Structures are given as C-alpha cells and as structure tokens.
C-alpha cells in the first residue's frame, strides 16, 4: 500500500514541478520528457503502431506543381507513386472516378499484364538457382498438342511459342486456370510473336513445378516479402475484389462512363491468371520494381537474359528497355497502369488508374520520370 501511495505522490510531484501546462504535456504530449516520466512512474505502456516502410515517404525536391500539371493534362484518375534514389518520396491519389470513390495512398488496383514483370522475375530467379532452363521444352512440364521442342520456357517469356487461346472463359472466377488453359490452348506457328495470355498463365504452373511450391507462395516468398510490400496480394474471391478500387470504361462517342461488372472483370481475369491475379498499390508496385531491378535480386546477367525485354521487343508485359529507361504498361478491364524507371531501378514512377478517358499513361510516366530526374 505504501509503495502504491509513494508512486502516486511521485507522479503528483512531477506534475507540480512542470509549469505552464506541463501537466498536460506529461499526459498527452508523447514526445515530452514529462510524458516519459509519467508513464515510467505509473508503469503504463503504450500500444505502438508499426507503419509499413512502403507507407513512409522521404523528403524530396520534386516540383509537385509540374508533376500535377502532367497528371491534369492527362485527366489522370488514380494513384501515383515516385521512388527517388531507392526511397519512396511521393504517393498520392489524384482525380475522381465517375462514382467519386474516396482514394488514399493505399488504394489497391488490379494490374493485369503488369504482373508479367513479376512472373518473369520469378522465372529468372529459378534460372539463377539452377532449377529452370529457358531452353527446356515445355513438354517437360505439360503435354500440348502439336508442340515440338521449339516450344520452350523461353518462348513463353517472349510470347513466340505459337500458343493461342480463342475460347472465351467463364465469368465465374477460375481457381484452376492452368487446367483450363491446357484444355483450350492450341499450337500454331512457333517462333513468331503473338501476344497470348496463355503463355504467362502456363509459366505460373511451370514456376510451381520447378520450385516445389505454389505460384502464389513462390511470388510471396521470393518477391513480395523481400521487397517489404504490405498492400499486395491475390484476388482470390469477390470479397477480395470488393475492397479494390472499382474500374470504369469510357465511351468517347457518348462521352459516358460505365462501371465494369464483376462478370466482365472475372472473365478477363480468367483469360490471364484467374484467382492468381495480383492487386497492389502504386507505392507497392514502385517498391517491387525497385527490388526486382536491384543488384541484390538476380543480378544484371539474369535480368537481361529474360526478366527485362530488349529495346524494340514486342509487348509482353515485362519490363522493357526504352532508351535509358525501363518501362511497362497494362490495360485490364477498365484498369490502366504504367511505370517508367531508370535502368538501375533506383528512380521511377508508377501510375495506377481505374478510369482513363484518353491519352497515354506510359508517355505521362516517362514525362514524370524526366521531371524527377531533373530534381535529383
């Protein structure tokens, strides 16, 4: 009892010796010395909230007025994130979609074929580890009608496998997109470029076979966790989808917008990776791109062997060399996404949108990157 009374007296003494509102400081101003003494004497501990590293922004010299002018010119609606010298320096929502949905720095979007940047990076991690070879015929993993030895793992990356998929998928979210692709894919002329989502869908299955774990787990363990992202995951159900920014299409003739229905969205997902489709935030995508292009990942040799496409390469969704930049883009059921980074991956911009009337997100990402580089 005496001990308890002694504590109370000690607390009162601390409060009394603090003048000019010091008592209030002891209780409420968490950075004050009085506050520290107050909680030590009363044995009170505070609950602390850990803020994800991707939610923090470092100081920047970016000209925000010019940056916003670029977004306004495009009539951009979505989220923008900027990394400068490896640090997140800017992340903001911009503009309003037709339903005026509230957006924050952690608003999530689906990324469509932009996911191919991660799938290709995962493939090259397995190549580096000696678990996969780009020259291996896919017959080692899947039996495809009319597929000869020229249909290799590498041809899937380049989309020169000759695989086509002309069947319209179902509008219910497919949990086994691999089986559906195998049942419906056909092989035509190999060695010629043809953008077909079946290539990367089957690559996800090859990743699973080569790694011994599911595609989702390998992506999480190899990319998401090491990159330190906190707001990225897989759209495994309608419940998960409902928490993302809804997407809209724009009809120029009538100057009107329409919300993309769940049936249309799921059908588009099934045409790619089904329930393996990723969602992310602009800042997470920036952090992921920075990570997979860093020397600490697979290194320059393996990045340029398959994860990064050479300049002039036809569109695959991978990161592609564009002059002294790395770029990628994707349009997906009302979602429009683009990024532009320096070749070393240390500085870059990501634009994720759920409603785009016109213009090129890719060109705007490049313009903002140039602006950011000037501010270095």
């Amino acid at each position: 009892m005496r001990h308890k009374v002694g504590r109370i007296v000690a607390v009162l003494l601390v409060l009394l010796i603090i003048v000019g509102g010091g008592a209030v400081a002891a209780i409420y101003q968490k950075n004050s010395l009085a506050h520290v003494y107050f909680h030590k004497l009363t044995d009170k501990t505070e609950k602390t909230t850990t803020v994800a590293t991707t939610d923090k922004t470092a100081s920047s010299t970016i000209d925000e007025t010019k940056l916003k002018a670029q977004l306004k010119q495009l009539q951009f609606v979505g989220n923008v994130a900027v990394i400068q010298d490896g640090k997140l320096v800017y992340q903001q929502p911009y503009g309003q979609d037709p339903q005026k949905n509230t957006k924050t720095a952690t608003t999530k979007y689906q990324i469509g074929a932009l996911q191919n940047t991660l799938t290709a990076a995962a493939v090259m991690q397995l190549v580096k580890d000696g678990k996969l070879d780009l020259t291996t015929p896919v017959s080692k993993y899947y039996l495809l009608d009319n597929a000869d030895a020229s249909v290799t793992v590498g041809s899937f990356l380049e989309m020169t496998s000759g695989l086509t998929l002309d069947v319209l998928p179902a509008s219910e979210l497919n949990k086994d997109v691999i089986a559906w692709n195998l049942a419906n894919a056909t092989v035509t002329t190999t060695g010629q470029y043809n953008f077909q989502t079946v290539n990367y869908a089957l690559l996800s299955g090859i990743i699973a076979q080569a790694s011994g774990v599911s595609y989702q787990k390998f992506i999480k363990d190899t990319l998401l966790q090491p990159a330190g992202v906190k707001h990225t995951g897989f759209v495994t159900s309608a419940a998960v989808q409902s928490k993302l920014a809804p997407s809209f299409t724009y009809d120029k003739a009538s100057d009107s917008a329409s919300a993309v229905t769940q049936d249309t969205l799921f059908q588009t997902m099934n045409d790619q990776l089904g329930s393996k489709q990723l969602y992310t935030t602009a800042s997470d995508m920036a952090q992921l791109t920075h990570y997979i292009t860093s020397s600490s990942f697979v290194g320059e040799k393996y990045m340029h062997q398959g994860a990064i496409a050479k300049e002039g390469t036809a569109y695959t969704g991978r990161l592609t060399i564009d002059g002294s930049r790395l770029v990628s883009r994707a349009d997906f059921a009302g979602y429009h996404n683009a990024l532009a980074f320096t070749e070393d991956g240390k500085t870059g911009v990501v634009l994720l949108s759920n409603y785009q009337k016109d213009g090129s997100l890719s060109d705007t990402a490049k313009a903002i990157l140039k602006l950011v580089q000037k501010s270095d």
Side-chain angles (χ1 to χ4, degrees):
M1 181 70 178
R2 284 182 180 180
H3 185 64
K4 188 172 183 179
V5 171
R7 283 190 177 184
I8 295 172
V9 171
V11 171
L12 291 173
L13 285 172
V14 171
L15 296 178
L16 287 172
I17 63 173
I18 302 169
V19 296
V24 174
I27 299 173
Y28 295 109
Q29 294 182 12
K30 296 182 180 180
N31 292 326
S32 71
L33 185 61
H35 178 82
V36 174
Y37 285 145
F38 176 79
H39 281 277
K40 280 186 176 180
L41 289 168
T42 56
D43 281 340
K44 289 186 177 181
T45 57
E46 296 179 350
K47 293 181 179 179
T48 58
T49 302
T50 301
V51 180
T53 55
T54 51
D55 291 337
K56 296 179 181 179
T57 54
S59 58
S60 169
T61 56
I62 298 174
D63 189 330
E64 292 189 22
T65 300
K66 290 184 178 180
L67 187 154
K68 290 178 179 178
Q70 292 282 354
L71 298 175
K72 183 178 181 179
Q73 182 178 353
L74 181 67
Q75 299 183 69
F76 178 74
V77 174
N79 279 63
V80 56
V82 177
I83 277 186
Q84 197 171 31
D85 196 26
K87 297 178 181 178
L88 182 67
V89 296
Y90 187 87
Q91 56 171 342
Q92 290 291 333
Y94 187 91
Q96 287 189 328
D97 61 42
Q99 291 181 354
K100 295 181 171 54
N101 289 287
T102 301
K103 293 184 175 68
T104 68
T106 57
T107 295
K108 303 172 183 67
Y109 301 78
Q110 286 192 231
I111 58 174
L114 206 61
Q115 186 169 338
N116 292 1
T117 62
L118 305 183
T119 299
V123 165
M124 297 316 298
Q125 177 65 66
L126 290 167
V127 171
K128 180 185 178 183
D129 292 344
K131 296 180 179 180
L132 200 57
D133 191 317
L134 297 183
T135 63
T136 300
V138 296
S139 57
K140 177 179 178 179
Y141 304 99
Y142 296 115
L143 294 177
L144 294 165
D145 291 341
N146 302 322
D148 58 23
S150 66
V151 182
T152 63
V153 175
S155 72
F156 278 11
L157 276 177
E158 303 290 340
M159 293 202 178
T160 57
S161 66
L163 262 66
T164 61
L165 195 64
D166 299 323
V167 181
L168 195 64
S171 57
E172 294 181 1
L173 190 58
N174 193 341
K175 301 289 184 179
D176 191 2
V177 72
I178 299 296
W180 184 83
N181 275 269
L182 289 172
N184 293 283
T186 57
V187 179
T188 55
T189 305
T190 61
Q192 295 182 6
Y193 167 80
N194 184 16
F195 182 89
Q196 293 283 331
T197 56
V198 60
N199 289 281
Y200 278 73
L202 293 184
L203 273 178
S204 70
I206 291 174
I207 288 170
Q209 291 186 54
S211 67
V213 298
S214 70
Y215 169 79
Q216 291 94 323
K217 180 171 174 53
F218 191 76
I219 292 294
K220 286 179 182 178
D221 293 348
T222 306
L223 299 174
L224 306 188
Q225 291 180 359
V229 298
K230 303 295 183 183
H231 309 291
T232 303
F234 296 92
V235 185
T236 55
S237 66
V240 174
Q241 174 61 38
S242 67
K243 297 177 182 178
L244 313 182
S247 60
F248 303 85
T249 57
Y250 173 71
D251 181 68
K252 192 171 183 179
S254 61
D255 188 27
S256 62
S258 301
V260 175
T261 65
Q262 180 178 291
D263 284 354
T264 298
L265 184 60
F266 283 179
Q267 192 171 63
T268 308
M269 288 172 62
N270 290 340
D271 192 47
Q272 297 196 15
L273 285 164
S275 60
K276 297 176 184 177
Q277 179 71 49
L278 277 171
Y279 65 79
T280 191
T281 64
S283 57
D284 271 15
M285 193 66 214
Q287 191 70 18
L288 279 165
T289 305
H290 170 58
Y291 175 69
I292 65 177
T293 54
S294 67
S295 58
S296 61
F297 186 51
V298 294
E300 186 175 347
K301 172 185 174 181
Y302 294 100
M303 284 302 297
H304 289 278
Q305 187 180 344
I308 294 177
K310 297 179 179 66
E311 187 162 18
T313 301
Y315 175 74
T316 61
R318 287 180 296 170
L319 289 168
T320 304
I321 296 174
D322 177 48
S324 59
R325 300 171 296 232
L326 296 176
V327 298
S328 189
R329 61 176 176 80
D331 298 301
F332 177 81
Y335 293 105
H336 303 273
N337 314 301
L339 58 83
F341 273 69
T342 54
E343 262 193 295
D344 60 9
K346 292 182 178 179
T347 298
V349 57
V350 171
L351 301 175
L352 302 184
S353 174
N354 64 327
Y355 177 59
Q356 185 60 39
K357 282 188 174 183
D358 201 1
S360 170
L361 258 68
S362 185
D363 287 346
T364 300
K366 294 175 189 177
I368 294 176
L369 174 61
K370 189 174 181 179
L371 179 66
V372 173
Q373 288 178 288
K374 284 182 179 179
S375 67
D376 285 342

